[in-house]
Amino acid sequence: MRILLIEDERELAEALSAALGKHGIVTDHTMHLADAVELTRQNHYDAILLDRRLPDGEGLSFIPELRRTGKHTPIIVLTARNEPKERVEGLDLGADDYLGKPFLVEELMARLRAVLRRAPDLAELQIAAGRMVIDPLHLSVTVGTVPLDLPRRELLVLAALARRKEKTVLRSTLEAAVYNYEEEIQSNALDAHISRLRKRLIDAGAGVAIHNIRGVGYLMKEE
Amino acid sequence: MRILLIEDERELAEALSAALGKHGIVTDHTMHLADAVELTRQNHYDAILLDRRLPDGEGLSFIPELRRTGKHTPIIVLTARNEPKERVEGLDLGADDYLGKPFLVEELMARLRAVLRRAPDLAELQIAAGRMVIDPLHLSVTVGTVPLDLPRRELLVLAALARRKEKTVLRSTLEAAVYNYEEEIQSNALDAHISRLRKRLIDAGAGVAIHNIRGVGYLMKEE
DNA sequence: CCACAAGGGTTGCGGCAGCATTGCGGAGCT
DNA sequence: AGCTCCGCAATGCTGCCGCAACCCTTGTGG
C-alpha cells in the first residue's frame, strides 16, 4: 500500500508518514503541487492525502487536474479550512473525503480504509494465496484460521508478491513496494527479507513458494 | 528493447546502462552528438535518452535533426538544467519527456514505460505467439496461464523473434537485440541461446517453432 | 554420387555475477 | 531492560552464459 501526501507543514508530514508507516503504508511526500502531478504520473498510489493551503496554490485545484489524466485515485483532503461550505467545495470538486485538522491518525486510517473499500479495483481488500488470506489494510495474514504475524517489511513484500501471484514481480517493483523514495537501500536488505519470509512461510505451512528469476525479480507460486 | 544514451558523464552512463540492463534493456552509449546521428541511421532504437550539455554542443539541437530524418523515436531529455522555462524549451522542441538530474532510475523507467505506451507501434506492450504471451516491459512470458521463466538473454531473443513472427529476423538484428556494441561476441553464443531456448519452448509446449534460414537469420512459426 | 566446405546445432566446462543465508549491532517499542 | 525488527556485510552457492569442441546438415563442383 502506497500513498502520496501533499502537505507543506514538514512536522505534520513527518509525523503522519511515521504513523502511517506503522500501519504498513509507504508514504511519498511532497510540499508542492507541481511535483505532485509529476509523481502521480510516475508512480501508482492507492490514495492521495491533500492539504488545501499550499505554497504554490490551492490544493483543491489538483483534483480536477488529476482526474483529467484519467486517474480515479481516492483523494482525502486534510485541512484547517473546515467550514461546512468549504467541505462541500472540496467534495464537489471530486475529493472522496474531507478531514479537518487537527485529527486523530486513527480517524484518518479509518477513513482511508473506507475510501479504499469503495474503490476495490485499485487496492484489493483481501488477497488469497495458497492457504493464506492477506489483508493489507489491517496488516493481517491468516493461514487457514491461524493468524500469522509478520514484521512490517516482510508483510509488504508478501502482499506485493501475492497481489501478482504466478507472475514475475520485478525486483525494482518490490523495492518500490517496501521503501519510499527517500529511503536509500545499499545492500541486499530485500533479499534478506525474502529469505526470512520464506522460512516463516514454510514454518506456517502457507502453501506458497517464492521463486527467484535470476536478474529479473521474484515469483510467488501456489503449491 | 534497445535505447540510445547520449551522455558525456561516463560514470552516470555506466551506472544507467547497468541499471537499464537489469530491466532487459540494451543500451548503446555515445558521448558525442555527431556519433548519435550516425548511430540512429544504423540502428533501430525504441527510445533515446539525451543530455543537454554535451562536449560538442547543445543536446537539444539533436531533436530537430533526428525528426528531419523522419524518425519519431521517443526522446527523454536528462539534464541538470531543470528550470520550468528550460523544460518548456525542451518539450517544445519535440522531446517526449524531460527529467531533471539527479533522478531515480525507477522514475526514469516509469517515464520510459509511459512514452513507450504512447508510441505503441514502436514497442508493443504484449506480444502473442502460439500459446505464449510475452510482456517485454515486465520481462515475463506465460504459456496459457503458466508462467515460464527464462534467462534474460533467451527472453530477449524470444521477444525479438516473436515481435516479427512468421517473418525472418536477420542474424544481426538478433545480435543487436541481445548485445550492445560494447559487448564483444566471438563465438556462437547466439546459436547457443537459440538452442537452449528451443528446448525450453518444447518442454513448455509453447506452440511455436524456431526455424533457421541458412546464412540469413531465424524465423519463428506458430504451429 | 562422392568430396569437401561452410553454416548451424548441441553440449560440457568454467568463470563470475547474482542470490541465499545468517550473525551482528543499532534502533525503537513495550 | 529485554525484545523484535531490520539494515548491513561476510560467506557460500547457483545457474547463466560465453566459449569451444564436435557433430550434423546443406550446398556445390567434379
Side-chain angles (χ1 to χ4, degrees), chain A:
Chain A
M1 177 77 47
R2 191 180 179 111
I3 66 162
L4 175 63
L5 171 61
I6 309 170
E7 167 64 63
D8 66 327
E9 294 172 43
R10 182 177 301 279
E11 256 182 64
L12 172 60
E14 279 171 12
L16 251 184
S17 186
L20 292 169
K22 287 184 194 153
H23 289 267
I25 294 174
V26 177
T27 306
D28 281 355
H29 171 224
T30 180
M31 318 216 311
H32 304 285
L33 283 175
D35 298 344
V37 179
E38 272 312 297
L39 285 166
T40 57
R41 267 206 294 177
Q42 297 152 24
N43 298 104
H44 166 79
Y45 294 107
D46 297 291
I48 295 171
L49 304 181
L50 178 64
D51 191 11
R52 284 194 64 161
R53 298 196 38 193
L54 290 164
D56 54 344
E58 157 69 75
L60 288 187
S61 69
F62 172 75
I63 303 179
E65 204 167 346
L66 179 76
R67 300 300 185 218
R68 221 178 298 123
T69 69
K71 289 191 197 299
H72 303 281
T73 318
I75 295 177
I76 301 182
V77 177
L78 306 177
T79 179
R81 306 184 54 181
N82 195 24
E83 294 302 311
K85 202 177 135 204
E86 293 169 336
R87 284 168 178 260
V88 171
E89 199 176 5
L91 294 168
D92 279 353
L93 264 170
D96 294 83
D97 204 341
Y98 198 105
L99 187 52
K101 293 182 191 174
F103 55 84
L104 295 175
V105 172
E106 270 324 299
E107 179 176 352
L108 175 60
M109 277 306 300
R111 286 173 183 268
L112 204 48
R113 279 192 286 270
V115 296
L116 290 171
R117 215 174 300 129
R118 267 179 260 143
D121 297 334
L122 298 174
E124 307 85 327
L125 293 177
Q126 291 199 331
I127 308 164
R131 303 180 50 236
M132 286 184 298
V133 175
I134 303 164
D135 183 339
L137 279 184
H138 291 93
L139 282 187
S140 74
V141 181
T142 55
V143 179
T145 57
V146 184
L148 170 65
D149 44 319
L150 293 173
R152 199 168 55 85
R153 302 234 125 131
E154 287 175 34
L155 191 120
L156 292 171
V157 172
L158 177 69
L161 286 169
R163 195 169 280 144
R164 298 203 43 181
K165 71 181 172 192
E166 312 296 339
K167 295 188 179 150
T168 50
V169 182
L170 293 185
R171 202 187 173 77
S172 54
T173 306
L174 286 177
E175 280 167 7
V178 179
Y179 302 96
N180 72 25
Y181 61 87
E182 281 166 3
E183 292 169 312
E184 204 72 16
I185 199 166
Q186 327 181 337
S187 75
N188 59 349
L190 179 63
D191 306 52
H193 288 306
I194 297 266
S195 174
R196 291 184 246 250
L197 181 55
R198 276 176 174 148
K199 198 187 296 177
R200 286 193 227 253
L201 291 179
I202 291 169
D203 288 352
V208 297
I210 300 174
H211 300 275
N212 169 266
I213 314 292
R214 186 163 265 248
V216 180
Y218 290 88
L219 169 64
M220 170 175 286
K221 275 192 179 165
E222 299 188 330
E223 278 159 5

Side-chain angles (χ1 to χ4, degrees), chain B residues 129-132 158 201-202 205-210 220-223:
Chain B
R131 302 181 51 236
M132 288 184 297
L158 177 68
L201 292 180
I202 291 168
V208 296
I210 300 175
M220 169 175 288
K221 274 196 177 162
E222 300 190 329
E223 279 159 3

Side-chain angles (χ1 to χ4, degrees), chain B residues 129-132 142-144 148 198-208 223:
Chain B
R131 302 181 51 236
M132 288 184 297
T142 56
V143 179
L148 171 64
R198 276 174 173 151
K199 198 187 297 177
R200 285 194 227 253
L201 292 180
I202 291 168
D203 288 353
V208 296
E223 279 159 3

Side-chain angles (χ1 to χ4, degrees), chain B residues 24-99:
Chain B
I25 294 174
V26 178
T27 306
D28 280 355
H29 171 224
T30 180
M31 319 215 314
H32 304 287
L33 283 175
D35 299 344
V37 179
E38 261 318 290
L39 286 166
T40 57
R41 265 200 293 180
Q42 292 158 19
N43 299 102
H44 165 80
Y45 295 107
D46 297 291
I48 296 171
L49 304 181
L50 178 65
D51 192 11
R52 282 193 66 162
R53 297 195 41 192
L54 290 164
D56 56 343
E58 157 69 75
L60 289 188
S61 69
F62 173 75
I63 303 179
E65 204 168 343
L66 179 76
R67 300 300 185 218
R68 224 178 296 123
T69 69
K71 288 192 197 298
H72 302 280
T73 317
I75 295 177
I76 301 181
V77 177
L78 306 177
T79 177
R81 306 186 53 181
N82 195 25
E83 293 302 310
K85 202 176 135 205
E86 295 170 335
R87 284 169 179 256
V88 171
E89 200 175 4
L91 294 167
D92 281 352
L93 264 169
D96 294 82
D97 205 340
Y98 198 103
L99 185 53

